Each structure stands twice: as structure tokens, then as C-alpha cells.
Amino acid sequence: MRGAGKKPLQVLVFNKHGIGHMVRVTQFPKPGETVPALEWKFGEDGGKGTNVAVALGKQGVGTAFIGKVGDDEGGRIGKKWMEEAGVDLSHYTMSTEAKTDVGVVIIREDGENMVIGSPRHPCFLSLEEVKGAIDDFSGAGYFVSGLEVDQALPLAACRYAKERGMVTLFNASPLHRTFPDSMEYVDYLFVNELEGMELAGMEPADTGKSQNWFQEPEEHENWLQVAATVWKRYRPGMVVMTLGSHGCILCRGGRCTRLPSYKVRCVDTVAAGDGFLAAFTAGLVWGMSPEQAADWGNRYAAVVVEREGAILSYPTLEEARALSVNFKKR
């Protein structure tokens, strides 16, 4: 499927492509409040699938994107981003029958963000089309998907990719009201801390603490408990729970380990989680252990949060290595 001179295809990405409005504010608005924007831009953020594919491509990993979008400005922007990153787009379809999704990202001055995604709708692709794309890329070893497309289709595709012998990585964001009872066909289940708490059936109130739960070192055990509960409930190969500036937790077989983040000046957290997922996947492709891949994910994400922007902030492999070489762990 790939022409001469192209790097071998290693990863398939099946998740959403969309285009985001990015709004910077001094503070998030309260209900009923109007706040002025410091800056408003369009076309600097992609969906979770596009973000991961571009970040993988920029790290030199042979990547293909599976998706169907509108034959419109949003679809053309996504095509440009991914082509520039070297992503295989032979199964990226632009159609007048579809419309590329649009969302809004609100970024506070300290770098924290809120995201409003487009309304949920059935994927423009059928399961048979996705299976056909997976079959066409049978030499790939890794399949990355998530819930930004819908629920049934990416889960079924992940199961099929697993049956075809691929290592499966699944981002459980954004969570649906219902979730499968078992994720045994998922090798790596990615959640952030709030998603982890919801899947574990826990709330910050369970601990007598506010939502800003992870404050002191002695509270690490709380997050280890959350990750262990998610693993026990859904039985993926491994739970990878990201904790923002506090790093991440890996949990397998009920045994959990926290890997600290790196000390950097946070400018913008948008798309850092997708960058982490891409870097983690790249690490596995390169033969790293999950712990080493997670540490590389933390390093890569640390470079991302030091920059403004989302998909445009992703560094190349050489840039990420050079910029993070002197980073210190928290």
C-alpha cells in the first residue's frame, strides 16, 4: 500500500477528525457570565484521531489514518496536516455526503482547558469498511482507537484488530453513559483521572476531598486505587491513567506503578493527552517496555504543554529529544 521511500506502516489510527475553534480567556465563564476572549483562532486543533496520527508521524512512526469526513474546509485542513506529517491517507475519505465535525476549545491563562465537542452522530464509515481498511494494512502491528467516533464501531474495530494479531490501544474519551462490561480485547486502556474515577464508580466525595484530589504525595495511593479498580472491573491488558502534571499510572494484574511527570512551565495543555498517547504508542513500536514508553510519553507531553496551540504544537522526534534532554522529574 505504500510507495517507495515511505517508512514501513506500523500503526493504524481510527478515531475522529475534526477542526476546533480555540479561544483564550483569563478565566472560565461561570453560568450566566460573559467573558471577553483574549484570542480566537480557527483551525489549530484536530480531533483525537488526527492529533494522534500527526504526533506519531512527526515522531517518525509509519502511521495510517482511517476515517471519512466532509469534502469541506475541515476535511482539507486535516488532509494537509496529516500529509505534512507523513501519514498514509489511502483510507481517509472526503465525501460530500459527510460534514467534518467542529468543536470549541477554551484555554485559561494558566494553560488549563475545557473542550466542547461536536454532537454525537453515527460514524460515516460502516464496520465492514473499517475491517476492510484493517485488512489492507495487515502488516501493521498496532491499532489505536477511541470513543470520539461513537461507541459500538470503534469497540468492534478494536476487537477485530486484536483478532488480526494487532496490539490494541483504546482511549476511553469522551466517556459514554454506558460502557462495555469487559475490555479484554484491549491491550492498553487509556483514561485520565476523572474518567478513571467514573469508570471505577468513585467520586472525589468518597475520600472527603474536593475534585482537586491529587495534591500531596501521600494521596498517590488514592489514584493507585482508582486505576486498580478500573483494571479489575474491565480487565484490559493494562490501564494507563494520565494525571496531568502528576504524571501517569500503569496498572496490570492489579499491580500499579506511578511514573512522575517532568518539571516544565505549562503554557497550554490542549492536545497534551493525545500527544502522550502517540508517544506511548511510538515507544512500544520502538521496543520499549510499557514503563519506558510511559516515561517517553511524559517527556513528549511536557514539551507540548510548553507550547501554545494543539496539533500545531507537536514536535518532531528530534525536537522533542533536544528540548527535553535536560528536563527533571517532579
Side-chain angles (χ1 to χ4, degrees), residues 207-237:
T207 66
K209 301 180 185 295
S210 68
Q211 277 200 339
N212 196 10
W213 193 21
F214 198 123
Q215 291 283 337
E216 302 297 336
E218 60 267 21
E219 294 174 354
H220 294 177
E221 292 300 323
N222 293 333
W223 291 117
L224 295 173
Q225 178 188 354
V226 171
T229 302
V230 173
W231 182 88
K232 185 176 181 180
R233 280 191 170 195
Y234 300 101
R235 299 294 174 137

PDB file of all heavy atoms in Angstrom, residues 207-237:
ATOM      1  N   THR A 207     -13.664  10.347  49.221  1.00  0.00           N
ATOM      2  CA  THR A 207     -12.475  10.495  50.045  1.00  0.00           C
ATOM      3  C   THR A 207     -12.580  11.676  51.006  1.00  0.00           C
ATOM      4  O   THR A 207     -11.661  11.940  51.767  1.00  0.00           O
ATOM      5  CB  THR A 207     -11.245  10.729  49.161  1.00  0.00           C
ATOM      6  OG1 THR A 207     -11.384  11.990  48.510  1.00  0.00           O
ATOM      7  CG2 THR A 207     -11.094   9.640  48.129  1.00  0.00           C
ATOM      8  N   GLY A 208     -13.705  12.388  50.919  1.00  0.00           N
ATOM      9  CA  GLY A 208     -13.841  13.587  51.740  1.00  0.00           C
ATOM     10  C   GLY A 208     -13.018  14.741  51.212  1.00  0.00           C
ATOM     11  O   GLY A 208     -12.735  15.700  51.912  1.00  0.00           O
ATOM     12  N   LYS A 209     -12.613  14.687  49.925  1.00  0.00           N
ATOM     13  CA  LYS A 209     -11.764  15.716  49.343  1.00  0.00           C
ATOM     14  C   LYS A 209     -12.486  16.380  48.184  1.00  0.00           C
ATOM     15  O   LYS A 209     -13.468  15.877  47.663  1.00  0.00           O
ATOM     16  CB  LYS A 209     -10.438  15.112  48.865  1.00  0.00           C
ATOM     17  CG  LYS A 209      -9.657  14.436  49.991  1.00  0.00           C
ATOM     18  CD  LYS A 209      -8.375  13.873  49.453  1.00  0.00           C
ATOM     19  CE  LYS A 209      -7.653  13.086  50.549  1.00  0.00           C
ATOM     20  NZ  LYS A 209      -7.243  13.963  51.640  1.00  0.00           N
ATOM     21  N   SER A 210     -11.982  17.519  47.760  1.00  0.00           N
ATOM     22  CA  SER A 210     -12.544  18.228  46.624  1.00  0.00           C
ATOM     23  C   SER A 210     -12.106  17.543  45.338  1.00  0.00           C
ATOM     24  O   SER A 210     -11.361  16.571  45.357  1.00  0.00           O
ATOM     25  CB  SER A 210     -12.057  19.678  46.616  1.00  0.00           C
ATOM     26  OG  SER A 210     -10.672  19.717  46.349  1.00  0.00           O
ATOM     27  N   GLN A 211     -12.569  18.078  44.195  1.00  0.00           N
ATOM     28  CA  GLN A 211     -12.184  17.496  42.915  1.00  0.00           C
ATOM     29  C   GLN A 211     -10.687  17.597  42.680  1.00  0.00           C
ATOM     30  O   GLN A 211     -10.117  16.816  41.935  1.00  0.00           O
ATOM     31  CB  GLN A 211     -12.929  18.184  41.776  1.00  0.00           C
ATOM     32  CG  GLN A 211     -14.325  17.617  41.558  1.00  0.00           C
ATOM     33  CD  GLN A 211     -14.820  17.941  40.183  1.00  0.00           C
ATOM     34  OE1 GLN A 211     -14.342  18.855  39.534  1.00  0.00           O
ATOM     35  NE2 GLN A 211     -15.804  17.201  39.732  1.00  0.00           N
ATOM     36  N   ASN A 212     -10.043  18.588  43.269  1.00  0.00           N
ATOM     37  CA  ASN A 212      -8.593  18.702  43.124  1.00  0.00           C
ATOM     38  C   ASN A 212      -7.945  17.728  44.104  1.00  0.00           C
ATOM     39  O   ASN A 212      -7.325  18.111  45.083  1.00  0.00           O
ATOM     40  CB  ASN A 212      -8.157  20.149  43.408  1.00  0.00           C
ATOM     41  CG  ASN A 212      -6.755  20.407  42.892  1.00  0.00           C
ATOM     42  OD1 ASN A 212      -6.191  19.594  42.179  1.00  0.00           O
ATOM     43  ND2 ASN A 212      -6.214  21.547  43.239  1.00  0.00           N
ATOM     44  N   TRP A 213      -8.114  16.453  43.789  1.00  0.00           N
ATOM     45  CA  TRP A 213      -7.856  15.378  44.743  1.00  0.00           C
ATOM     46  C   TRP A 213      -6.375  15.114  44.905  1.00  0.00           C
ATOM     47  O   TRP A 213      -5.886  14.806  45.968  1.00  0.00           O
ATOM     48  CB  TRP A 213      -8.571  14.134  44.210  1.00  0.00           C
ATOM     49  CG  TRP A 213      -8.709  13.009  45.156  1.00  0.00           C
ATOM     50  CD1 TRP A 213      -8.653  13.031  46.515  1.00  0.00           C
ATOM     51  CD2 TRP A 213      -8.972  11.659  44.800  1.00  0.00           C
ATOM     52  NE1 TRP A 213      -8.861  11.785  47.023  1.00  0.00           N
ATOM     53  CE2 TRP A 213      -9.062  10.923  45.992  1.00  0.00           C
ATOM     54  CE3 TRP A 213      -9.142  11.002  43.597  1.00  0.00           C
ATOM     55  CZ2 TRP A 213      -9.310   9.552  46.007  1.00  0.00           C
ATOM     56  CZ3 TRP A 213      -9.398   9.649  43.616  1.00  0.00           C
ATOM     57  CH2 TRP A 213      -9.484   8.942  44.810  1.00  0.00           C
ATOM     58  N   PHE A 214      -5.640  15.202  43.810  1.00  0.00           N
ATOM     59  CA  PHE A 214      -4.241  14.793  43.827  1.00  0.00           C
ATOM     60  C   PHE A 214      -3.382  16.000  44.199  1.00  0.00           C
ATOM     61  O   PHE A 214      -2.949  16.741  43.344  1.00  0.00           O
ATOM     62  CB  PHE A 214      -3.846  14.266  42.448  1.00  0.00           C
ATOM     63  CG  PHE A 214      -2.600  13.443  42.449  1.00  0.00           C
ATOM     64  CD1 PHE A 214      -2.622  12.153  41.975  1.00  0.00           C
ATOM     65  CD2 PHE A 214      -1.399  13.949  42.913  1.00  0.00           C
ATOM     66  CE1 PHE A 214      -1.473  11.384  41.947  1.00  0.00           C
ATOM     67  CE2 PHE A 214      -0.250  13.195  42.893  1.00  0.00           C
ATOM     68  CZ  PHE A 214      -0.291  11.909  42.405  1.00  0.00           C
ATOM     69  N   GLN A 215      -3.169  16.233  45.481  1.00  0.00           N
ATOM     70  CA  GLN A 215      -2.447  17.407  45.939  1.00  0.00           C
ATOM     71  C   GLN A 215      -1.103  17.065  46.579  1.00  0.00           C
ATOM     72  O   GLN A 215      -0.107  17.708  46.318  1.00  0.00           O
ATOM     73  CB  GLN A 215      -3.302  18.179  46.966  1.00  0.00           C
ATOM     74  CG  GLN A 215      -4.528  18.853  46.363  1.00  0.00           C
ATOM     75  CD  GLN A 215      -4.160  20.121  45.622  1.00  0.00           C
ATOM     76  OE1 GLN A 215      -3.128  20.717  45.874  1.00  0.00           O
ATOM     77  NE2 GLN A 215      -4.996  20.525  44.685  1.00  0.00           N
ATOM     78  N   GLU A 216      -1.096  16.081  47.433  1.00  0.00           N
ATOM     79  CA  GLU A 216       0.090  15.765  48.216  1.00  0.00           C
ATOM     80  C   GLU A 216       0.595  14.350  47.899  1.00  0.00           C
ATOM     81  O   GLU A 216      -0.170  13.491  47.465  1.00  0.00           O
ATOM     82  CB  GLU A 216      -0.233  15.862  49.719  1.00  0.00           C
ATOM     83  CG  GLU A 216      -0.747  17.234  50.141  1.00  0.00           C
ATOM     84  CD  GLU A 216       0.288  18.337  49.921  1.00  0.00           C
ATOM     85  OE1 GLU A 216       1.483  18.009  49.891  1.00  0.00           O
ATOM     86  OE2 GLU A 216      -0.114  19.498  49.771  1.00  0.00           O
ATOM     87  N   PRO A 217       1.887  14.109  48.132  1.00  0.00           N
ATOM     88  CA  PRO A 217       2.434  12.781  47.825  1.00  0.00           C
ATOM     89  C   PRO A 217       1.694  11.639  48.506  1.00  0.00           C
ATOM     90  O   PRO A 217       1.557  10.566  47.931  1.00  0.00           O
ATOM     91  CB  PRO A 217       3.877  12.890  48.327  1.00  0.00           C
ATOM     92  CG  PRO A 217       4.203  14.342  48.233  1.00  0.00           C
ATOM     93  CD  PRO A 217       2.922  15.059  48.567  1.00  0.00           C
ATOM     94  N   GLU A 218       1.186  11.876  49.718  1.00  0.00           N
ATOM     95  CA  GLU A 218       0.524  10.783  50.418  1.00  0.00           C
ATOM     96  C   GLU A 218      -0.791  10.390  49.752  1.00  0.00           C
ATOM     97  O   GLU A 218      -1.365   9.352  50.066  1.00  0.00           O
ATOM     98  CB  GLU A 218       0.263  11.150  51.882  1.00  0.00           C
ATOM     99  CG  GLU A 218      -0.624  12.376  52.100  1.00  0.00           C
ATOM    100  CD  GLU A 218       0.217  13.639  52.252  1.00  0.00           C
ATOM    101  OE1 GLU A 218       1.374  13.634  51.804  1.00  0.00           O
ATOM    102  OE2 GLU A 218      -0.303  14.607  52.840  1.00  0.00           O
ATOM    103  N   GLU A 219      -1.271  11.232  48.831  1.00  0.00           N
ATOM    104  CA  GLU A 219      -2.518  10.913  48.160  1.00  0.00           C
ATOM    105  C   GLU A 219      -2.314  10.071  46.899  1.00  0.00           C
ATOM    106  O   GLU A 219      -3.272   9.749  46.197  1.00  0.00           O
ATOM    107  CB  GLU A 219      -3.286  12.196  47.840  1.00  0.00           C
ATOM    108  CG  GLU A 219      -3.745  12.899  49.113  1.00  0.00           C
ATOM    109  CD  GLU A 219      -4.400  14.255  48.837  1.00  0.00           C
ATOM    110  OE1 GLU A 219      -4.397  14.687  47.675  1.00  0.00           O
ATOM    111  OE2 GLU A 219      -4.916  14.841  49.776  1.00  0.00           O
ATOM    112  N   HIS A 220      -1.075   9.709  46.596  1.00  0.00           N
ATOM    113  CA  HIS A 220      -0.821   8.858  45.438  1.00  0.00           C
ATOM    114  C   HIS A 220      -1.615   7.557  45.545  1.00  0.00           C
ATOM    115  O   HIS A 220      -2.094   7.033  44.545  1.00  0.00           O
ATOM    116  CB  HIS A 220       0.671   8.519  45.331  1.00  0.00           C
ATOM    117  CG  HIS A 220       1.523   9.718  45.032  1.00  0.00           C
ATOM    118  ND1 HIS A 220       2.889   9.629  44.956  1.00  0.00           N
ATOM    119  CD2 HIS A 220       1.221  11.018  44.779  1.00  0.00           C
ATOM    120  CE1 HIS A 220       3.397  10.841  44.682  1.00  0.00           C
ATOM    121  NE2 HIS A 220       2.399  11.675  44.578  1.00  0.00           N
ATOM    122  N   GLU A 221      -1.743   7.036  46.756  1.00  0.00           N
ATOM    123  CA  GLU A 221      -2.435   5.775  46.947  1.00  0.00           C
ATOM    124  C   GLU A 221      -3.879   5.856  46.480  1.00  0.00           C
ATOM    125  O   GLU A 221      -4.448   4.862  46.021  1.00  0.00           O
ATOM    126  CB  GLU A 221      -2.379   5.354  48.423  1.00  0.00           C
ATOM    127  CG  GLU A 221      -0.995   4.978  48.913  1.00  0.00           C
ATOM    128  CD  GLU A 221      -0.404   3.803  48.143  1.00  0.00           C
ATOM    129  OE1 GLU A 221      -1.172   2.886  47.785  1.00  0.00           O
ATOM    130  OE2 GLU A 221       0.807   3.796  47.887  1.00  0.00           O
ATOM    131  N   ASN A 222      -4.515   7.030  46.589  1.00  0.00           N
ATOM    132  CA  ASN A 222      -5.886   7.175  46.114  1.00  0.00           C
ATOM    133  C   ASN A 222      -5.982   6.899  44.625  1.00  0.00           C
ATOM    134  O   ASN A 222      -6.862   6.184  44.155  1.00  0.00           O
ATOM    135  CB  ASN A 222      -6.403   8.592  46.405  1.00  0.00           C
ATOM    136  CG  ASN A 222      -6.561   8.847  47.892  1.00  0.00           C
ATOM    137  OD1 ASN A 222      -6.780   7.933  48.660  1.00  0.00           O
ATOM    138  ND2 ASN A 222      -6.439  10.092  48.291  1.00  0.00           N
ATOM    139  N   TRP A 223      -5.051   7.462  43.844  1.00  0.00           N
ATOM    140  CA  TRP A 223      -5.083   7.272  42.408  1.00  0.00           C
ATOM    141  C   TRP A 223      -4.695   5.845  42.028  1.00  0.00           C
ATOM    142  O   TRP A 223      -5.219   5.297  41.057  1.00  0.00           O
ATOM    143  CB  TRP A 223      -4.156   8.281  41.719  1.00  0.00           C
ATOM    144  CG  TRP A 223      -4.683   9.679  41.812  1.00  0.00           C
ATOM    145  CD1 TRP A 223      -4.096  10.738  42.436  1.00  0.00           C
ATOM    146  CD2 TRP A 223      -5.912  10.162  41.282  1.00  0.00           C
ATOM    147  NE1 TRP A 223      -4.891  11.854  42.316  1.00  0.00           N
ATOM    148  CE2 TRP A 223      -6.013  11.527  41.611  1.00  0.00           C
ATOM    149  CE3 TRP A 223      -6.957   9.567  40.553  1.00  0.00           C
ATOM    150  CZ2 TRP A 223      -7.100  12.309  41.239  1.00  0.00           C
ATOM    151  CZ3 TRP A 223      -8.039  10.341  40.183  1.00  0.00           C
ATOM    152  CH2 TRP A 223      -8.105  11.695  40.528  1.00  0.00           C
ATOM    153  N   LEU A 224      -3.799   5.247  42.758  1.00  0.00           N
ATOM    154  CA  LEU A 224      -3.461   3.845  42.507  1.00  0.00           C
ATOM    155  C   LEU A 224      -4.690   2.967  42.711  1.00  0.00           C
ATOM    156  O   LEU A 224      -4.927   2.015  41.958  1.00  0.00           O
ATOM    157  CB  LEU A 224      -2.335   3.401  43.435  1.00  0.00           C
ATOM    158  CG  LEU A 224      -0.980   4.086  43.225  1.00  0.00           C
ATOM    159  CD1 LEU A 224      -0.008   3.675  44.333  1.00  0.00           C
ATOM    160  CD2 LEU A 224      -0.393   3.748  41.866  1.00  0.00           C
ATOM    161  N   GLN A 225      -5.490   3.313  43.708  1.00  0.00           N
ATOM    162  CA  GLN A 225      -6.718   2.569  43.968  1.00  0.00           C
ATOM    163  C   GLN A 225      -7.703   2.715  42.818  1.00  0.00           C
ATOM    164  O   GLN A 225      -8.351   1.750  42.402  1.00  0.00           O
ATOM    165  CB  GLN A 225      -7.361   3.060  45.268  1.00  0.00           C
ATOM    166  CG  GLN A 225      -8.686   2.370  45.602  1.00  0.00           C
ATOM    167  CD  GLN A 225      -9.388   3.011  46.778  1.00  0.00           C
ATOM    168  OE1 GLN A 225      -8.845   3.902  47.435  1.00  0.00           O
ATOM    169  NE2 GLN A 225     -10.615   2.578  47.045  1.00  0.00           N
ATOM    170  N   VAL A 226      -7.823   3.922  42.276  1.00  0.00           N
ATOM    171  CA  VAL A 226      -8.721   4.151  41.143  1.00  0.00           C
ATOM    172  C   VAL A 226      -8.291   3.298  39.954  1.00  0.00           C
ATOM    173  O   VAL A 226      -9.097   2.596  39.340  1.00  0.00           O
ATOM    174  CB  VAL A 226      -8.738   5.646  40.752  1.00  0.00           C
ATOM    175  CG1 VAL A 226      -9.495   5.841  39.437  1.00  0.00           C
ATOM    176  CG2 VAL A 226      -9.381   6.478  41.853  1.00  0.00           C
ATOM    177  N   ALA A 227      -6.999   3.363  39.602  1.00  0.00           N
ATOM    178  CA  ALA A 227      -6.506   2.607  38.453  1.00  0.00           C
ATOM    179  C   ALA A 227      -6.696   1.104  38.652  1.00  0.00           C
ATOM    180  O   ALA A 227      -7.079   0.380  37.718  1.00  0.00           O
ATOM    181  CB  ALA A 227      -5.032   2.927  38.222  1.00  0.00           C
ATOM    182  N   ALA A 228      -6.437   0.629  39.869  1.00  0.00           N
ATOM    183  CA  ALA A 228      -6.596  -0.799  40.154  1.00  0.00           C
ATOM    184  C   ALA A 228      -8.056  -1.224  40.018  1.00  0.00           C
ATOM    185  O   ALA A 228      -8.355  -2.316  39.520  1.00  0.00           O
ATOM    186  CB  ALA A 228      -6.082  -1.115  41.560  1.00  0.00           C
ATOM    187  N   THR A 229      -8.973  -0.361  40.435  1.00  0.00           N
ATOM    188  CA  THR A 229     -10.396  -0.675  40.337  1.00  0.00           C
ATOM    189  C   THR A 229     -10.844  -0.734  38.878  1.00  0.00           C
ATOM    190  O   THR A 229     -11.616  -1.615  38.485  1.00  0.00           O
ATOM    191  CB  THR A 229     -11.228   0.359  41.100  1.00  0.00           C
ATOM    192  OG1 THR A 229     -10.815   0.381  42.475  1.00  0.00           O
ATOM    193  CG2 THR A 229     -12.712   0.033  41.034  1.00  0.00           C
ATOM    194  N   VAL A 230     -10.359   0.197  38.065  1.00  0.00           N
ATOM    195  CA  VAL A 230     -10.693   0.180  36.634  1.00  0.00           C
ATOM    196  C   VAL A 230     -10.187  -1.104  35.999  1.00  0.00           C
ATOM    197  O   VAL A 230     -10.903  -1.770  35.239  1.00  0.00           O
ATOM    198  CB  VAL A 230     -10.109   1.416  35.915  1.00  0.00           C
ATOM    199  CG1 VAL A 230     -10.313   1.291  34.403  1.00  0.00           C
ATOM    200  CG2 VAL A 230     -10.759   2.683  36.436  1.00  0.00           C
ATOM    201  N   TRP A 231      -8.941  -1.489  36.320  1.00  0.00           N
ATOM    202  CA  TRP A 231      -8.400  -2.720  35.751  1.00  0.00           C
ATOM    203  C   TRP A 231      -9.240  -3.924  36.176  1.00  0.00           C
ATOM    204  O   TRP A 231      -9.577  -4.787  35.343  1.00  0.00           O
ATOM    205  CB  TRP A 231      -6.946  -2.938  36.173  1.00  0.00           C
ATOM    206  CG  TRP A 231      -6.379  -4.176  35.537  1.00  0.00           C
ATOM    207  CD1 TRP A 231      -5.773  -4.276  34.322  1.00  0.00           C
ATOM    208  CD2 TRP A 231      -6.435  -5.509  36.065  1.00  0.00           C
ATOM    209  NE1 TRP A 231      -5.446  -5.586  34.049  1.00  0.00           N
ATOM    210  CE2 TRP A 231      -5.839  -6.360  35.108  1.00  0.00           C
ATOM    211  CE3 TRP A 231      -6.930  -6.055  37.251  1.00  0.00           C
ATOM    212  CZ2 TRP A 231      -5.731  -7.732  35.305  1.00  0.00           C
ATOM    213  CZ3 TRP A 231      -6.816  -7.434  37.446  1.00  0.00           C
ATOM    214  CH2 TRP A 231      -6.212  -8.253  36.481  1.00  0.00           C
ATOM    215  N   LYS A 232      -9.590  -3.995  37.445  1.00  0.00           N
ATOM    216  CA  LYS A 232     -10.345  -5.137  37.954  1.00  0.00           C
ATOM    217  C   LYS A 232     -11.716  -5.227  37.320  1.00  0.00           C
ATOM    218  O   LYS A 232     -12.219  -6.324  37.037  1.00  0.00           O
ATOM    219  CB  LYS A 232     -10.468  -5.025  39.482  1.00  0.00           C
ATOM    220  CG  LYS A 232     -11.139  -6.235  40.138  1.00  0.00           C
ATOM    221  CD  LYS A 232     -11.128  -6.103  41.647  1.00  0.00           C
ATOM    222  CE  LYS A 232     -11.782  -7.315  42.303  1.00  0.00           C
ATOM    223  NZ  LYS A 232     -11.782  -7.204  43.784  1.00  0.00           N
ATOM    224  N   ARG A 233     -12.359  -4.069  37.078  1.00  0.00           N
ATOM    225  CA  ARG A 233     -13.707  -4.067  36.509  1.00  0.00           C
ATOM    226  C   ARG A 233     -13.725  -4.476  35.043  1.00  0.00           C
ATOM    227  O   ARG A 233     -14.625  -5.186  34.596  1.00  0.00           O
ATOM    228  CB  ARG A 233     -14.327  -2.674  36.636  1.00  0.00           C
ATOM    229  CG  ARG A 233     -14.886  -2.361  38.006  1.00  0.00           C
ATOM    230  CD  ARG A 233     -15.713  -1.090  37.948  1.00  0.00           C
ATOM    231  NE  ARG A 233     -16.452  -0.894  39.188  1.00  0.00           N
ATOM    232  CZ  ARG A 233     -17.458  -0.036  39.325  1.00  0.00           C
ATOM    233  NH1 ARG A 233     -17.831   0.697  38.298  1.00  0.00           N
ATOM    234  NH2 ARG A 233     -18.091   0.090  40.480  1.00  0.00           N
ATOM    235  N   TYR A 234     -12.745  -4.003  34.261  1.00  0.00           N
ATOM    236  CA  TYR A 234     -12.817  -4.143  32.809  1.00  0.00           C
ATOM    237  C   TYR A 234     -11.771  -5.084  32.220  1.00  0.00           C
ATOM    238  O   TYR A 234     -11.885  -5.464  31.064  1.00  0.00           O
ATOM    239  CB  TYR A 234     -12.729  -2.750  32.161  1.00  0.00           C
ATOM    240  CG  TYR A 234     -13.855  -1.861  32.618  1.00  0.00           C
ATOM    241  CD1 TYR A 234     -13.658  -0.902  33.604  1.00  0.00           C
ATOM    242  CD2 TYR A 234     -15.133  -2.020  32.097  1.00  0.00           C
ATOM    243  CE1 TYR A 234     -14.693  -0.104  34.040  1.00  0.00           C
ATOM    244  CE2 TYR A 234     -16.182  -1.228  32.534  1.00  0.00           C
ATOM    245  CZ  TYR A 234     -15.959  -0.275  33.506  1.00  0.00           C
ATOM    246  OH  TYR A 234     -16.996   0.516  33.950  1.00  0.00           O
ATOM    247  N   ARG A 235     -10.759  -5.441  32.954  1.00  0.00           N
ATOM    248  CA  ARG A 235      -9.755  -6.432  32.588  1.00  0.00           C
ATOM    249  C   ARG A 235      -9.074  -6.203  31.236  1.00  0.00           C
ATOM    250  O   ARG A 235      -8.889  -7.154  30.462  1.00  0.00           O
ATOM    251  CB  ARG A 235     -10.377  -7.827  32.613  1.00  0.00           C
ATOM    252  CG  ARG A 235     -10.898  -8.247  33.969  1.00  0.00           C
ATOM    253  CD  ARG A 235      -9.785  -8.411  34.967  1.00  0.00           C
ATOM    254  NE  ARG A 235     -10.270  -8.677  36.308  1.00  0.00           N
ATOM    255  CZ  ARG A 235      -9.757  -9.575  37.128  1.00  0.00           C
ATOM    256  NH1 ARG A 235      -8.718 -10.301  36.745  1.00  0.00           N
ATOM    257  NH2 ARG A 235     -10.240  -9.736  38.342  1.00  0.00           N
ATOM    258  N   PRO A 236      -8.645  -4.979  30.933  1.00  0.00           N
ATOM    259  CA  PRO A 236      -7.774  -4.816  29.768  1.00  0.00           C
ATOM    260  C   PRO A 236      -6.400  -5.374  30.111  1.00  0.00           C
ATOM    261  O   PRO A 236      -6.124  -5.719  31.266  1.00  0.00           O
ATOM    262  CB  PRO A 236      -7.721  -3.298  29.595  1.00  0.00           C
ATOM    263  CG  PRO A 236      -7.844  -2.780  30.999  1.00  0.00           C
ATOM    264  CD  PRO A 236      -8.800  -3.727  31.684  1.00  0.00           C
ATOM    265  N   GLY A 237      -5.525  -5.430  29.111  1.00  0.00           N
ATOM    266  CA  GLY A 237      -4.168  -5.860  29.419  1.00  0.00           C
ATOM    267  C   GLY A 237      -3.526  -4.934  30.435  1.00  0.00           C
ATOM    268  O   GLY A 237      -2.873  -5.387  31.380  1.00  0.00           O
TER     269      GLY A 237
END
